[in-house]
Amino acid sequence: MSQGAESLLDVLAAHDVEVVFGLPGVHNLAIWEALQQRPGIRMIGVRHEQTAVYAADGYARSTGKLGVAVVTTGPGAANTLGATGEAWASGSPVLVIATDIPSTLRRPGVHRGVLHETRDQKAMFTPVTKVAFDVTSAHDLAACADRAVQQALQSPHGPVYLGVPTDFLSTEVPHHTVTRTEPAHAETDLTEAEQLVAAAERPLIWAGGGAARSDAGAAISALADKLQAPIITTYGARGLTDSPLVVRGPVHAPPVGQLWDDADLVIAIGTDFDGMMTQNWLQPKPRTLLAVNIDKAEANKNYPADVTLEGDAATVTSALAAKVTAKQAAVDVEAVNAEVRALAEADSPDASKLLRALEGTDATIVADMCIPGYWIGGFHHVTRPRGLAYPVGWGTLGFGFPAAIGAAVEHRTIAVVGDGGFLFACGDLATLKQEGLPLTIVLVDDGGYGMLRYDQQIANHTISGVDLTRPDFAKLAESFGIPAVTLSGFDDLKSALDDAEGPSMIVVNASLKPPINTSPRWYRRTSS
């Protein structure tokens, strides 16, 4: 027998959890106390519950491991919802553990007015999680936590909510043995897929976030090499493989979009063809579509496939690569990439300076929903798996800095943020300093919400609500003990990044034009 909080940590440890992000509250203090007795799990205390889940998400995206956030009841739990929604929309394996009011004070169907009480806390999470659990008895706490962890890590990945009445944490509970089950990979009939591939003269591979989460990079490289097929990666799959067949630009660029239009077979691996990547489905349906996906319904919901191979992306793609016959190249990918580079340079020389400053870095890059982030998401060449985190699942402004805190736990990280989004979580500069994380914040200050200002300008609206009062960001960072420099433009950004060590900030005073992968500039919309 052990106390519930200890048993909960036993389950996390059995699943190799090494770090959790959280904020203490009156109802979850037993977890913090139990953590003091368990040196194998590091608790990173943050300054806002939303940061806890964003950091868990950033950690999960950059490592492939489970991200865990521990928060308190009621308003503490509610503060996580935006970040939990981003994890849900992006398929991140995150576990949100939130306490609830004592079970002894709960009266079904009645809001009694207990501190932090909600009528149904779990119900807040149901729309933005893969599954939500309430622990209904202390006896079931560990078993329920075990199920929650396994659900988050089971494909398709996603965030899971675990609600625990606070009194269960200090109740004696029985021991629970965690039993891990490896997913079974049933053999897939490839006959129809082989026929589609054999008939194709201009095949194209489209790899999505599901392919990245299944570590399918090697399998996709093998298939692409065999077919000499260009590889288009979605934002969630950037860096999946560094094959020379990877197209180094967004499908929103006309030279890349032309590859889609010309393909007589699209092989879609681990993707659902969301609106952000398809210009809200203005891309025409492929002439022939072969889908590889863990979930057949997800694979077919936007562009119905001619053949669907249901299963793990890495396993199925590897099997397909072994079966198909080699083809001759029909596309000069290097020439397409050169055309995309020239297009970006002509469109915005300043943005190209930003991209050049990041070239060759081995740091994880976490980009916010801001104009420099849009440029990075579209045009930065990511050279390793999980090298970029970008919040286009739900499009949550304010993701960049707190998610980078999570990514920086295991790898040097660069957060690229705007002045508006950074202020959502600037209090967590204290966390950055407290933990001594190897994170450099590149903050591009254009005076407010630059993308929204652009939206107003092109719509001939009055500019309102987007020009913001801001602090001196360098002095703000320095007030937390974090070294900072301020640059005018991007010319010296590369050298500033080379000099940055540990927690640091680089403020760049500059304004960028939004790139062509932002919705106001989608070429299929403007040309239709």
Side-chain angles (χ1 to χ4, degrees):
M1 302 286 284
S2 59
Q3 288 195 332
E6 297 166 349
S7 182
L8 175 62
L9 297 183
D10 287 342
V11 170
L12 296 182
H15 284 285
D16 301 323
V17 171
E18 298 174 344
V19 60
V20 298
F21 305 88
L23 202 71
V26 65
H27 286 162
N28 70 12
L29 291 177
I31 298 176
W32 287 73
E33 176 65 21
L35 280 164
Q36 301 307 306
Q37 313 305 318
R38 186 176 290 278
I41 298 180
R42 176 184 180 185
M43 168 60 88
I44 295 181
V46 299
R47 301 306 188 267
H48 194 280
E49 289 88 359
Q50 191 172 78
T51 293
V53 177
Y54 274 143
D57 187 358
Y59 176 83
R61 294 191 200 207
S62 62
T63 65
K65 303 175 185 178
L66 179 71
V68 180
V70 175
V71 299
T72 195
T73 312
N79 277 342
T80 72
L81 291 173
T84 305
E86 175 58 44
W88 160 72
S90 294
S92 294
V94 169
L95 176 62
V96 181
I97 302 172
T99 48
D100 208 333
I101 67 168
S103 63
T104 53
L105 299 180
R106 172 76 70 188
R107 186 180 299 167
V110 178
H111 179 266
R112 303 184 69 192
V114 179
L115 179 67
H116 298 334
E117 181 183 9
T118 59
R119 288 184 294 171
D120 188 346
Q121 186 168 293
K122 182 180 81 169
M124 295 193 299
F125 286 85
T126 300
V128 291
T129 54
K130 179 180 176 181
V131 64
F133 294 98
D134 266 339
V135 181
T136 56
S137 75
H139 183 277
D140 295 331
L141 171 55
C144 194
D146 189 7
R147 289 196 300 274
V149 171
Q150 296 200 46
Q151 279 286 329
L153 291 172
Q154 179 181 317
S155 296
H157 299 126
V160 173
Y161 165 81
L162 180 67
V164 186
T166 182
D167 53 314
F168 292 175
L169 297 175
S170 54
T171 300
E172 292 291 317
V173 299
H175 175 72
H176 172 78
T177 300
V178 170
T179 303
R180 299 201 199 192
T181 56
E182 294 298 322
H185 297 309
E187 188 170 339
T188 304
D189 184 355
L190 302 175
T191 305
E192 290 184 290
E194 289 179 68
Q195 293 170 351
L196 291 185
V197 173
E201 296 181 357
R202 296 181 66 91
L204 172 69
I205 295 172
W206 176 293
R213 290 187 289 275
S214 75
D215 296 318
I220 289 172
S221 290
L223 180 62
D225 287 346
K226 204 83 168 285
L227 303 181
Q228 285 298 293
I231 305 169
I232 293 176
T233 56
T234 68
Y235 297 130
R238 293 288 194 258
L240 173 72
T241 169
D242 201 27
S243 163
L245 292 167
V246 170
V247 178
R248 300 184 182 185
V251 71
H252 315 78
V256 184
Q258 193 64 47
L259 296 178
W260 172 276
D261 294 347
D262 292 343
D264 58 0
L265 172 66
V266 173
I267 305 173
I269 304 172
T271 184
D272 64 357
F273 291 116
D274 64 72
M276 288 292 290
M277 291 305 305
T278 62
Q279 300 176 58
N280 280 346
W281 306 284
L282 290 173
Q283 279 183 199
K285 181 185 181 300
R287 278 177 263 174
T288 310
L289 178 59
L290 167 61
V292 179
N293 204 297
I294 195 72
D295 186 323
K296 185 174 183 178
E298 284 292 297
N300 286 269
K301 68 183 183 184
N302 288 316
Y303 293 117
D306 296 278
V307 174
T308 302
L309 301 178
E310 192 169 9
D312 174 72
T315 303
V316 175
T317 304
S318 181
L320 182 62
K323 288 279 190 179
V324 297
T325 302
K327 292 181 180 290
Q328 297 295 317
V331 175
D332 185 344
V333 175
E334 186 177 346
V336 172
N337 288 339
E339 192 175 354
V340 170
R341 284 195 302 273
L343 184 155
E345 182 71 46
D347 197 31
S348 176
D350 284 338
S352 294
K353 292 176 184 177
L354 166 65
L355 296 171
R356 285 196 294 273
L358 297 172
E359 279 181 2
T361 182
D362 65 349
T364 299
I365 297 178
V366 183
D368 207 358
M369 290 293 286
C370 58
I371 294 176
Y374 304 146
W375 277 101
I376 290 167
F379 294 92
H380 174 61
H381 179 51
V382 186
T383 57
R384 63 177 179 82
R386 305 186 185 281
L388 173 68
Y390 181 45
V392 291
W394 223 26
T396 45
L397 179 61
F399 166 93
F401 171 46
I405 288 173
V409 170
E410 291 203 2
H411 205 275
R412 180 173 177 260
T413 299
I414 299 170
V416 180
V417 301
D419 51 292
F422 175 74
L423 288 173
F424 282 35
C426 62
D428 274 289
L429 286 169
T431 302
L432 179 56
K433 175 63 176 178
Q434 166 188 292
E435 300 296 330
L437 298 172
L439 168 58
T440 299
I441 304 162
V442 176
L443 190 156
V444 180
D445 186 352
D446 66 357
Y449 300 128
M451 188 68 228
L452 298 180
R453 186 186 298 119
Y454 179 81
D455 288 337
Q456 291 179 341
Q457 288 170 342
I458 63 172
N460 294 317
H461 291 172
T462 301
I463 304 301
S464 62
V466 297
D467 296 327
L468 303 179
T469 298
R470 291 106 56 225
D472 183 319
F473 287 107
K475 288 182 178 178
L476 176 65
E478 289 165 353
S479 74
F480 285 90
I482 295 172
V485 297
T486 301
L487 307 177
S488 178
F490 297 100
D491 289 337
D492 297 322
L493 178 57
K494 174 66 172 175
S495 59
L497 284 169
D498 290 342
D499 293 340
E501 296 181 358
S504 54
M505 177 183 282
I506 301 169
V507 181
V508 182
N509 291 317
S511 180
L512 294 176
K513 175 184 179 181
I516 56 177
N517 49 302
T518 53
S519 58
R521 298 193 63 200
W522 287 346
Y523 81 91
R524 294 190 188 270
R525 173 183 295 162
T526 57
S527 63
S528 61

